[in-house]
Amino acid sequence: MSDNYEPKILAFLCNWCAYAGADLAGVSRFQYPPTLRVIRTMCSGRVDPLYIAGGLINGYDSVFISG
Amino acid sequence: MEGDPGHFSARVYQTPRYVDISKCTSCADCEAVCPVELQNDYEEGLTTRKAIFKKYTQAIPGTYAIQKTSPAPCKLACPAGLNVQGYVQMVKMGNYKRALEIIMEDLPFPGILGRVCTHGCEDACRRCEVDQPVAIRDLKRLAADQYDPREIQLSSKPKRDEKVAIIGSGPAGLSTGYFLARKGIGSTVFEALPEPGGMLRVGIPEHRLPREVLEKEIEVVTNLGVEIKTNTPFGPNLTIDQLFQQGFKAVYLAIGAHKGIELGVPGENLKGVRQGVAFLKDVALKGTTEIGKKVAIIGGGNVAIDVARSAIRLGAEEVSVIYRRSRDEMPAFKEEIQATLDEGVNIVYLSAPQEILSDDGEVAGVRCIRMELGKTDSSGRRSPIPIPGSEFDLEVDQVISAIGQQPDLSSLTDITGLEFSRWGTIEVNSVSYATDIEGVFAGGDAQAGPWTVIGAVATGKEAAESIERYFDGVDMSAGREIAPIEDVEYRPVDEVEPGVDRVKMPELPAAQRAGNFNQVELGYTEEEGQSEASRCINCSYCSDCGLCVEACLPGAVNHMELPVERDLDVGAVILTSGTDVFDPAKLEQFYLYKHNPNVMTSIEFERILSATGPTNGHLVRRSDDKEPKKIAWLQCVGSRDVNQCDNGYCSSVCCMYAIKEAVIAKEHAPSDLDCAIFNMDIRTFGKDYERYYERSKELGVRFVQARVHTIEEDSNTGNLLLRYATVDGEVLTEEYDMVVLSVGMEPARSAVEMAKEIGIELNQYNFVQSEEVAPVASSKPGIYVAGVFQGPKDIPHSIMEASAAACAAGLDLSSARGSLVKERVFPEEKDITGEEPRIGVFVCNCGTNIGGIANVPEIVDYVKGLPNVVHAEHNMFSCSQDTQEKMVNVIKENNLNRVVVAACSPITHEPLFQETLKDAGLNPFLFDMANIRNQCTWVHSDEKEKATEKSKDLVRMSIARSRYLEPLEYLTVGVNNPALVIGGGISGMTAALGFADQGFPTTLIEKTDELGGSAARQLKKTWKGSDITAYIQGQINKVENHQNITVLKNTEVVDSSGFVGNFETELKVGDLSQTIKHGATVVATGGRATDTDEYLYGQNPRVTQWHDIEENLDKFDDINTVVFINCVGSRDESHPYCSKLCCTASIQEALQVKERFPDARIFVLHRGIRTYGEREDLYREAREKGIIFIKYTPETKPTITEVNGKPEVLVFDAILGRYIQIEADLVNLATAIEPEENNAVTSAFKLPVNEDGFIMEAHVKLRPVDCSTDGVYICGMVHYPKPFEESITQAQAAVSRAVNVLCRQQVNVEPIVSTIDQDLCIGCGLCIKTCSFSAIEAETIEGLGVRAKNISALCKGCGVCAVACPQQAIYMNHFNNDQINAAIKAGKSIA
């Protein structure tokens, strides 16, 4: 893996906690790498295993679920 | 506040916010430019914030505000009203241009006044309270040295035709021209002398004011178009009439005071005697003048000093200044006097000339007389009195008089209509500076008498205002009287770090000053100036520098906002003004709180533990940023203390928060952190608190029962040495890295003042006085109270009280319910069935928040090329009112049927844009947001290109998803408005009456055959001593006879179905079955004291429990020794929780025994006394009355044996270190309290219970009366053991929550719910199992079998069922597979 490897990460964030947390990180201006592509769900329980597979099939390097 | 329940009129004072919350986007651009650093109160002063600030990141409203108080004293002290704090802050920031802009708003001569100003501002500077004043004048000069004032762009009104003639080009005349020019009024200045500047040129020597500075700043005025005609004296050849004839519309007289006052002593007319002003004028205009060898100067003002220093420079060999008072009284500047002495001038104090001596018609000397100081005169100084016979002679060849000046009126005396004062100055209106001649104004020294340059500027500024008004034909004086500012409020000086010396002004060495007029004060370097400027205290907080106004792109900042007094028409008032915390600095000698940074309050420590706090949750101590290894908590700081402070009560929350802090600290600490809590008793009496306490012990938190009596500091390490005595008397010293003070609560000081103002009765601790039967009512009908202002309490209890107060207010106002509600009307919704997606994309710049980082135009160009996008644009602020209106038009014009906004977060802004869609006739669910601010530009601000790429991806994902969006409808369900209350105890009856009095039909069911519950059976008095038997009977009567209440006794719940607003419950009434429909349910099934088989209970009649002892007091006549045993079956394996009531109840009974049998020996055996809140007073009273408290542990439980029919108690006393045997006449046990059996209720309403059988609330802290089943509420002992008044509070709270449902005609069900396709469903039941909200049930459909069925009203939209369904038979509205898959795909590949 080269030093400048930048993964593309698919993220599913729960509307009530993790998504709000990601907003708060913004308000607090915490800096993090621009590698996440976020999809908001109303619960992390909404994340169907098929979405995870779909993410990987579509070429994301990893899938992140937070809730 | 005046009025009665239902009709109060309240006058409130609203402090201005200075930021329009409808415009502020919370971007923080203002904060970045604000120069004023202040303590961050939210972070308990551990960090700083700016004067424009958002209280904390999650604050609501999430917008900025400016902290600003009275104008700073420096500004008030300045005759011209300069915004001193503003320009000092700008110098601090190195922003000299802005500093000059601020200065030149009120003053055309920054460089001149920066050198010669008398700086009254510095005398007023509050830095004097710390050390020396800020060198304000020198900082002004630095700004003018660093940036050319001629380059400043001055705001001016449009030019107008009238012209003004100004007589005299001194500071008053030139200022008038300057301010007139800025008002668009032209002027010509007529000057008698060959050069302009007046006293600035001919009165101040060059070593103080270099000519190039003067020239430059005169140019500031002439650059505005002000014309100066020199060598044009006012007088016979230039009269007022002539000026008016020449077309001038007004004349301003500012001829100054250039005539020296005569000494009035013999010999004054000799050759060699002259006036100081004439001397200085000669030097100024010719560069030199006649100078003696030995010169005497008479006077002590700045002119005398200027003459003396000029004389030295011109080559005088010996210069003496003769002054009649002492150095302290000299009116000249202190630094000038010092410089004069440095330069070799001799000052002869306490001497006055009596005669000028002559030799051959020329001055040969001056005869003086010594003076002494007498009484204080009208000038505030002690008046000099000659000492007879003390005459002495000074040998001199020149005498220069500098005892004062006056205007030379020779050119004015002929003017008809002009009046003069007895001091020879021109009389004017004191506000407008108008003379009695129409159109003629006067100012400067000619009008005010010899004053200062800044004073002259001030008069010029005022005259310009008058002249403009004169031309406009409006009242010249209106609104200009300066009202004294009352109640000035400034930033407290003690917030400022002490002791920073004023930066010394660099000077030309004294040796290099002779023979030249080179400038002596050399001016600050930038570094010196910035460091000096940072000494400013920022008295007004905001410095009014105006940078935030420029930085705010939406234009939200308005510094002109004024405080508003509002009259509010209200029906009820609820006081929720909260708490202050005890300030441990009051006990500084003991706690070292101010002195040692490693001693902090628990509230400060909370911030240290917070992930958003000053250390981002990293546990370090303040002195050296090192991770502590040992932390001690000291409990009861400012609580349970009548010796060092007057807070006799227990603050109720500190034990629990200290344990929480210790547990979290251990979680945060990388190593084994030693946490010790020093306490008197640990009071974990709340629901599940005892479990937490026990768990903390397992985690290693230590509890030390001791009050630390000495705290010392190790000055090398900053560690703290705590000395204390253990229970058995051993004195120990332990060293800790940090000490946390568990500070108690006090009613907020401002709230106490307000309560007194509106006449609310307070108790001895300043909490609101309330009765147990009406715990949230104040002494004034219609005014209620909730939270700590009512008494110390935790969050759940505060929230209960808040809801209870809402219920109480609702009772007063129920007849007016809904009368002020307005409904918003939207256009009819457009049907988009069958339409291709037509997507409009709005990309927000959010000022510079998005646009400053991501390339917004590039994003817009990019999305224009994506499929189905028919419109794309970018907006400065998509959320602004005008953009919203524009968006509606764009949607209509382009016939859009999907809208994507790429901006901030949907959590905050989706509802706003959904309304916009509704305004445009679109279903609000045809909308999606791409969060390119909070989750992109704000977090990738250093990676602009990548932020642009990510934004494109996020917008593309949103567009892809939006293609599949569908319109959704809100479902509405009608509401049954009756209430069902289960349980006829005090809680149930309170709840039933709460509903019924508000007009809601109520069914109250009770499983026994009588109302009243355990309170009616047991309780006669509350802990405060109020007899409540009559009250309970009264409530029973009210309930039984209330027209809105149906009481069903001997009744139990069998089953219930339905959901919030629509319950159907089956009851068993006696032997009959009955079904009722209701909209809300209150469960109040109560609790009871358990029986025990310990301590001979049930075996010996002298052993009773709870309040039963009251009967035994009458039954037995040998009552000499009484023993109370607490925690019988509580806080052990059988009931691992605290029953909360028992300590207070035992003490209450003990005191009653003591009252009846004063000689009785009374013992209370306990495991820590938990008399929380003001119950602590009872505990103190008991100890004062001689009741003996002995603490036991589970390992040393007391034992009882029967001896001669009496119980003999054996207990180990840890203080004495031995067993004590008590021959008791009576023993009373405080047994655990359990919930009443209520399985039928909990299963019918699907209510979870905790391990102890108490019903669980929806959220322990924030929703303490709601159940997890919507529409079901709990109160009283079924929730947790609680005293009478807390049950009433909770019952009222339950009513208030339930009325939220019952008062509606219908409930709206969110459309984001799941829907089941029963054709695909195979009835496996997985969805039913996975649903946490009971929103899916099984139904049997004929021909199909069992199928799942939605109960949409209960669905929370989580979508778990859709994932669980193996058949994909469940469709999740708004988050369906097509929508999510489209987004997944679009995020990676170009769709």
Side-chain angles (χ1 to χ4, degrees), chain B residues 88-139:
Chain B
V88 167
Q89 291 309 304
M90 288 303 99
V91 171
K92 180 180 89 182
M93 307 301 282
N95 188 345
Y96 305 109
K97 177 168 181 260
R98 183 79 193 127
L100 288 185
E101 284 167 357
I102 292 171
I103 295 167
M104 290 170 74
E105 192 55 38
D106 302 297
L107 167 70
F109 312 125
I112 297 171
L113 273 296
R115 287 168 172 82
V116 305
C117 191
T118 47
H119 54 69
C121 50
E122 292 185 24
D123 299 331
C125 179
R126 287 169 69 248
R127 183 87 210 177
C128 297
E129 294 175 33
V130 184
D131 36 40
Q132 311 95 32
V134 175
I136 297 169
R137 183 185 72 180
D138 301 337
L139 294 173

Coordinates of all heavy atoms in Angstrom, one line a residue, chain B residues 88-139:
Chain B
V88 N -7.8 50.6 21.3 CA -6.7 49.9 22.1 C -6.7 48.4 21.6 O -5.6 47.8 21.4 CB -7.0 50.0 23.6 CG1 -6.1 49.1 24.3 CG2 -6.7 51.5 24.0
Q89 N -7.9 47.9 21.5 CA -7.9 46.5 21.0 C -7.4 46.3 19.6 O -6.7 45.3 19.3 CB -9.4 45.9 21.0 CG -10.0 45.8 22.4 CD -9.1 45.0 23.3 OE1 -8.7 43.9 23.0 NE2 -8.6 45.6 24.4
M90 N -7.6 47.3 18.8 CA -7.1 47.2 17.4 C -5.6 47.3 17.4 O -4.9 46.7 16.6 CB -7.8 48.3 16.5 CG -9.2 48.0 16.2 SD -9.5 46.4 15.4 CE -10.0 45.4 16.7
V91 N -5.1 48.2 18.2 CA -3.6 48.3 18.3 C -3.0 46.9 18.8 O -2.0 46.4 18.3 CB -3.2 49.4 19.3 CG1 -1.7 49.4 19.5 CG2 -3.6 50.8 18.7
K92 N -3.8 46.3 19.7 CA -3.3 45.0 20.3 C -3.2 44.0 19.1 O -2.3 43.2 19.1 CB -4.3 44.5 21.3 CG -4.0 43.2 21.9 CD -5.0 42.7 22.9 CE -6.2 42.0 22.3 NZ -7.2 41.6 23.2
M93 N -4.2 44.1 18.2 CA -4.2 43.1 17.1 C -3.2 43.6 16.0 O -3.1 42.9 15.0 CB -5.6 43.0 16.5 CG -6.7 42.7 17.5 SD -6.4 41.2 18.3 CE -6.9 40.0 17.1
G94 N -2.6 44.8 16.1 CA -1.8 45.3 15.0 C -2.6 45.8 13.9 O -2.0 46.1 12.8
N95 N -3.9 46.0 14.1 CA -4.7 46.5 13.0 C -4.8 48.1 13.2 O -5.8 48.6 13.7 CB -6.1 45.9 13.1 CG -7.0 46.2 11.9 OD1 -6.7 47.2 11.2 ND2 -8.1 45.5 11.7
Y96 N -3.7 48.8 12.7 CA -3.6 50.2 13.0 C -4.6 51.0 12.2 O -5.1 52.0 12.5 CB -2.2 50.7 12.8 CG -1.2 49.9 13.6 CD1 -0.3 49.0 12.9 CD2 -1.2 50.0 14.9 CE1 0.5 48.2 13.7 CE2 -0.3 49.2 15.7 CZ 0.6 48.3 15.1 OH 1.4 47.6 15.8
K97 N -4.9 50.5 11.0 CA -5.8 51.1 10.1 C -7.2 51.2 10.8 O -7.8 52.3 10.8 CB -5.9 50.4 8.8 CG -6.9 51.0 7.8 CD -6.7 50.3 6.4 CE -7.7 50.9 5.4 NZ -8.9 50.1 5.2
R98 N -7.6 50.1 11.3 CA -9.0 50.1 11.9 C -8.9 50.9 13.2 O -9.9 51.6 13.5 CB -9.3 48.6 12.3 CG -10.7 48.5 12.9 CD -11.8 48.6 11.8 NE -13.1 48.7 12.4 CZ -14.0 49.7 12.1 NH1 -13.7 50.5 11.1 NH2 -15.1 49.8 12.7
A99 N -7.8 50.9 13.9 CA -7.6 51.8 15.1 C -7.9 53.2 14.7 O -8.6 53.9 15.4 CB -6.3 51.6 15.7
L100 N -7.2 53.6 13.6 CA -7.4 55.0 13.2 C -8.8 55.3 12.7 O -9.4 56.4 13.0 CB -6.4 55.4 12.0 CG -4.9 55.5 12.4 CD1 -4.1 55.9 11.2 CD2 -4.8 56.4 13.6
E101 N -9.4 54.3 12.1 CA -10.8 54.5 11.6 C -11.7 54.8 12.9 O -12.6 55.6 12.8 CB -11.3 53.3 10.9 CG -10.8 53.3 9.5 CD -11.0 51.9 8.8 OE1 -11.5 51.0 9.5 OE2 -10.7 51.8 7.6
I102 N -11.4 54.0 13.9 CA -12.2 54.2 15.1 C -12.0 55.6 15.8 O -12.9 56.3 16.1 CB -11.9 53.1 16.2 CG1 -12.5 51.8 15.6 CG2 -12.5 53.4 17.5 CD1 -12.0 50.5 16.4
I103 N -10.7 55.9 15.8 CA -10.3 57.2 16.5 C -10.9 58.4 15.7 O -11.5 59.3 16.2 CB -8.7 57.3 16.5 CG1 -8.1 56.3 17.4 CG2 -8.3 58.8 16.9 CD1 -6.6 56.1 17.3
M104 N -10.7 58.3 14.3 CA -11.0 59.4 13.5 C -12.6 59.6 13.3 O -13.0 60.5 12.7 CB -10.3 59.3 12.2 CG -8.8 59.6 12.4 SD -7.7 59.2 11.0 CE -8.1 60.6 10.0
E105 N -13.3 58.6 13.8 CA -14.7 58.8 13.8 C -15.1 60.0 14.7 O -16.0 60.8 14.5 CB -15.4 57.6 14.4 CG -16.9 57.5 14.3 CD -17.4 57.6 12.9 OE1 -16.7 57.1 11.9 OE2 -18.4 58.3 12.7
D106 N -14.2 60.3 15.7 CA -14.5 61.4 16.7 C -13.4 62.4 16.8 O -13.4 63.3 17.6 CB -14.7 60.7 18.1 CG -15.8 59.7 18.1 OD1 -16.9 60.1 17.9 OD2 -15.5 58.5 18.4
L107 N -12.3 62.2 16.0 CA -11.1 63.0 16.2 C -10.3 63.1 14.9 O -9.9 62.0 14.5 CB -10.3 62.4 17.4 CG -8.9 63.0 17.5 CD1 -9.0 64.4 18.1 CD2 -8.1 62.1 18.5
P108 N -10.0 64.3 14.4 CA -9.2 64.3 13.2 C -7.7 64.2 13.4 O -7.0 64.1 12.5 CB -9.6 65.7 12.6 CG -10.1 66.5 13.7 CD -10.6 65.6 14.7
F109 N -7.3 64.3 14.7 CA -5.8 64.4 14.9 C -5.3 63.3 15.8 O -4.8 63.5 16.9 CB -5.6 65.8 15.7 CG -6.3 66.9 15.1 CD1 -7.1 67.8 15.8 CD2 -6.0 67.3 13.7 CE1 -7.7 68.9 15.3 CE2 -6.7 68.4 13.2 CZ -7.5 69.2 13.9
P110 N -5.2 62.1 15.3 CA -4.7 61.0 16.1 C -3.3 61.2 16.6 O -2.9 60.9 17.7 CB -4.9 59.7 15.3 CG -5.1 60.2 13.9 CD -5.7 61.6 14.0
G111 N -2.4 61.6 15.6 CA -1.0 61.7 16.0 C -0.8 62.9 16.9 O 0.2 62.8 17.7
I112 N -1.5 64.0 16.8 CA -1.3 65.1 17.7 C -1.8 64.8 19.1 O -1.1 64.9 20.1 CB -2.1 66.3 17.1 CG1 -1.6 66.7 15.8 CG2 -2.1 67.5 18.1 CD1 -2.5 67.8 15.0
L113 N -3.1 64.3 19.2 CA -3.6 63.9 20.5 C -2.8 62.7 21.1 O -2.7 62.6 22.3 CB -5.1 63.6 20.5 CG -6.0 64.8 20.6 CD1 -5.9 65.4 22.0 CD2 -5.8 65.9 19.5
G114 N -2.3 61.9 20.2 CA -1.4 60.8 20.7 C -0.2 61.3 21.4 O 0.5 60.5 22.0
R115 N 0.1 62.6 21.2 CA 1.3 63.1 21.9 C 1.0 64.1 23.0 O 1.6 64.1 24.0 CB 2.2 63.9 20.8 CG 2.9 62.9 19.9 CD 3.5 63.6 18.7 NE 4.3 62.7 17.9 CZ 3.9 61.9 17.0 NH1 2.6 61.8 16.8 NH2 4.7 61.1 16.4
V116 N -0.1 64.9 22.8 CA -0.3 66.0 23.7 C -1.5 65.9 24.6 O -1.8 66.8 25.3 CB -0.3 67.4 23.0 CG1 1.0 67.5 22.2 CG2 -1.5 67.5 22.1
C117 N -2.3 64.8 24.4 CA -3.6 64.8 25.1 C -3.4 64.7 26.6 O -2.4 64.1 27.1 CB -4.4 63.6 24.6 SG -6.1 63.7 25.2
T118 N -4.3 65.3 27.3 CA -4.2 65.3 28.8 C -4.7 64.0 29.3 O -4.7 63.8 30.5 CB -5.0 66.4 29.4 OG1 -6.3 66.4 28.7 CG2 -4.4 67.8 29.1
H119 N -5.2 63.1 28.5 CA -5.6 61.7 28.8 C -6.3 61.5 30.1 O -5.9 60.8 31.0 CB -4.5 60.7 28.6 CG -3.2 61.0 29.4 ND1 -3.2 60.9 30.7 CD2 -2.0 61.4 29.0 CE1 -1.9 61.2 31.2 NE2 -1.2 61.5 30.1
G120 N -7.5 62.2 30.2 CA -8.4 61.9 31.4 C -8.8 60.5 31.4 O -9.1 59.9 32.4
C121 N -8.8 59.9 30.2 CA -9.2 58.5 30.1 C -8.3 57.6 30.9 O -8.8 56.6 31.5 CB -9.1 58.0 28.6 SG -7.5 58.5 27.8
E122 N -7.0 58.0 31.0 CA -6.1 57.1 31.8 C -6.4 57.2 33.3 O -6.2 56.2 34.0 CB -4.6 57.4 31.5 CG -4.3 57.1 30.0 CD -2.8 57.3 29.7 OE1 -2.0 57.3 30.6 OE2 -2.5 57.5 28.5
D123 N -6.9 58.4 33.7 CA -7.2 58.5 35.1 C -8.4 57.6 35.4 O -8.6 57.1 36.5 CB -7.5 59.9 35.5 CG -6.3 60.9 35.3 OD1 -5.2 60.3 35.4 OD2 -6.5 62.0 34.9
A124 N -9.3 57.5 34.4 CA -10.5 56.7 34.7 C -10.3 55.2 34.5 O -11.2 54.4 34.8 CB -11.6 57.2 33.7
C125 N -9.1 54.8 33.9 CA -8.9 53.4 33.5 C -9.0 52.5 34.7 O -8.4 52.8 35.8 CB -7.5 53.3 32.9 SG -7.1 51.6 32.4
R126 N -9.8 51.5 34.6 CA -10.0 50.5 35.8 C -8.8 49.6 36.0 O -8.7 48.9 37.0 CB -11.3 49.7 35.6 CG -12.5 50.6 35.8 CD -13.8 50.0 35.5 NE -14.1 48.8 36.3 CZ -14.2 47.6 35.9 NH1 -13.8 47.3 34.6 NH2 -14.5 46.6 36.7
R127 N -7.8 49.7 35.1 CA -6.6 48.9 35.3 C -5.9 49.5 36.5 O -5.0 48.8 37.1 CB -5.7 49.1 34.0 CG -4.4 48.4 34.1 CD -4.5 46.9 33.6 NE -3.5 46.1 34.2 CZ -3.4 44.8 34.0 NH1 -4.2 44.2 33.2 NH2 -2.5 44.1 34.7
C128 N -6.2 50.8 36.9 CA -5.6 51.4 38.1 C -5.9 50.5 39.3 O -5.2 50.5 40.3 CB -6.1 52.8 38.3 SG -5.7 53.9 37.0
E129 N -7.0 49.8 39.3 CA -7.4 48.9 40.4 C -6.4 47.7 40.5 O -6.4 47.1 41.6 CB -8.8 48.4 40.3 CG -9.9 49.6 40.4 CD -11.3 49.1 40.1 OE1 -11.6 47.9 40.5 OE2 -12.1 49.9 39.6
V130 N -5.8 47.4 39.4 CA -4.8 46.3 39.5 C -3.4 46.8 39.6 O -2.7 46.5 40.5 CB -4.9 45.5 38.1 CG1 -3.9 44.3 38.2 CG2 -6.3 45.1 37.8
D131 N -3.0 47.7 38.7 CA -1.6 48.3 38.8 C -1.7 49.8 38.3 O -2.2 50.6 38.9 CB -0.6 47.4 38.1 CG -1.1 46.8 36.9 OD1 -1.8 47.4 36.1 OD2 -0.7 45.6 36.7
Q132 N -1.1 50.0 37.1 CA -1.2 51.3 36.5 C -2.1 51.3 35.3 O -2.4 50.3 34.7 CB 0.2 51.8 36.0 CG 1.3 51.5 37.0 CD 2.1 50.2 36.8 OE1 2.2 49.8 35.7 NE2 2.5 49.6 37.9
P133 N -2.6 52.5 34.9 CA -3.5 52.6 33.8 C -2.9 52.2 32.5 O -1.6 52.2 32.4 CB -3.9 54.1 33.8 CG -2.9 54.8 34.4 CD -2.3 53.9 35.5
V134 N -3.7 51.8 31.5 CA -3.2 51.5 30.2 C -2.7 52.8 29.6 O -3.3 53.9 29.7 CB -4.3 50.9 29.3 CG1 -3.8 50.7 27.9 CG2 -4.8 49.6 30.0
A135 N -1.6 52.8 28.9 CA -1.0 54.0 28.2 C -1.8 54.3 27.0 O -1.3 54.1 25.9 CB 0.5 53.8 27.9
I136 N -3.0 54.8 27.2 CA -3.9 55.0 26.1 C -3.4 56.0 25.1 O -3.4 55.7 23.9 CB -5.3 55.4 26.6 CG1 -5.9 54.3 27.6 CG2 -6.2 55.8 25.5 CD1 -7.1 54.8 28.3
R137 N -2.9 57.1 25.6 CA -2.4 58.1 24.6 C -1.3 57.6 23.7 O -1.3 57.8 22.5 CB -1.9 59.3 25.4 CG -1.5 60.5 24.5 CD -0.9 61.6 25.3 NE 0.4 61.2 25.8 CZ 1.2 62.0 26.5 NH1 0.7 63.2 26.9 NH2 2.4 61.6 26.9
D138 N -0.4 56.9 24.3 CA 0.8 56.4 23.6 C 0.3 55.4 22.5 O 1.0 55.2 21.5 CB 1.8 55.8 24.5 CG 2.3 56.9 25.6 OD1 2.1 58.1 25.3 OD2 2.7 56.5 26.6
L139 N -0.7 54.6 22.9 CA -1.2 53.6 21.9 C -1.9 54.3 20.7 O -1.8 53.8 19.6 CB -2.2 52.7 22.6 CG -1.5 51.8 23.7 CD1 -2.6 51.0 24.4 CD2 -0.5 50.9 23.1

